[in-house]
Amino acid sequence: GSRVDDSGYLSTLVDAVRATHPVDRVAVVGHSNGGYMAHRFACDHPDQVGAIASIAGALDVDATCEPAKPVSVLQVHGDADETIAYDGGQINGRSYTSADQTVARWRQIDGCRTESHPATRLDADADVKGDDLKPTSWTDCSAGTRVALWTITGGRHNPTLTPAFTTALYDWFEAGGRR
């Protein structure tokens, strides 16, 4: 119910950085509430962002999201998240989408085909033994964008992300996303 416009604030911030620095593209990463904000920013300001990554965030079930341009979206979520449930739910009386529903919504928005392309697994969370990251991607979306769901098997709300995860995230941003 707050009247604070966080999405508008981030838009002003992106404009300020672009005015003083040579920027060829913008990507937004957020965790939990920040993950929700990454989705909201992509919905509200697709002209300013080419790609987002939401870690343990989601979309509100009733969120209006009709961006004028496609945006690459990476949803990272632990399937044992006790705060923002992988299968969706409610928090503070607001319903939010599951990780699968979030990705399905972006695939629809970005005009992706329905086939997924599994990628190589890796150790993303130091608190979970073994190669816990199960990535699924859709790379055939509008304007060269892509959508992906990286499920951390056994991952909780606050993962201890590994250097391998950080490298994979950077590589994901570098490999695609609108400029």
Side-chain angles (χ1 to χ4, degrees):
S2 170
R3 298 204 187 277
V4 174
D5 183 5
D6 291 326
S7 182
Y9 168 76
L10 289 176
S11 174
T12 301
L13 183 62
V14 168
D15 284 344
V17 170
R18 280 193 159 149
T20 58
H21 295 79
V23 176
D24 68 341
R25 65 180 149 173
V26 173
V28 174
V29 179
H31 172 258
S32 193
N33 260 356
Y36 279 87
M37 178 51 40
H39 286 294
R40 181 79 264 141
F41 189 75
C43 293
D44 294 348
H45 304 282
D47 55 318
Q48 290 182 296
V49 64
I52 67 159
S54 170
I55 303 168
L59 286 167
D60 286 335
V61 167
D62 61 354
T64 301
C65 188
E66 298 173 3
K69 293 182 178 182
V71 176
S72 288
V73 173
L74 171 59
Q75 179 68 32
V76 181
H77 216 116
D79 64 5
D81 189 328
E82 68 286 358
T83 304
I84 304 299
Y86 186 87
D87 292 328
Q90 282 192 350
I91 191 162
N92 299 327
R94 296 188 70 136
S95 297
Y96 58 89
T97 57
S98 70
D100 289 324
Q101 290 168 326
T102 299
V103 170
R105 189 133 172 226
W106 280 107
R107 286 185 2 237
Q108 180 183 29
I109 289 167
D110 287 352
C112 304
R113 293 185 357 201
T114 56
E115 291 114 37
S116 63
H117 309 282
T120 305
R121 294 178 69 109
L122 63 94
D123 182 11
D125 187 343
D127 295 333
V128 177
K129 187 175 181 176
D131 291 342
D132 49 59
L133 185 74
K134 177 186 170 193
T136 305
S137 300
W138 294 264
T139 57
D140 51 354
C141 310
S142 301
T145 59
R146 37 202 198 124
V147 174
L149 173 59
W150 291 2
T151 301
I152 301 175
T153 304
R156 298 177 59 99
H157 188 67
N158 291 308
T160 302
L161 299 172
T162 65
F165 174 86
T166 304
T167 299
L169 178 63
Y170 177 81
D171 290 346
W172 190 86
F173 281 128
E174 278 296 302
R178 219 187 57 249
R179 293 196 182 262

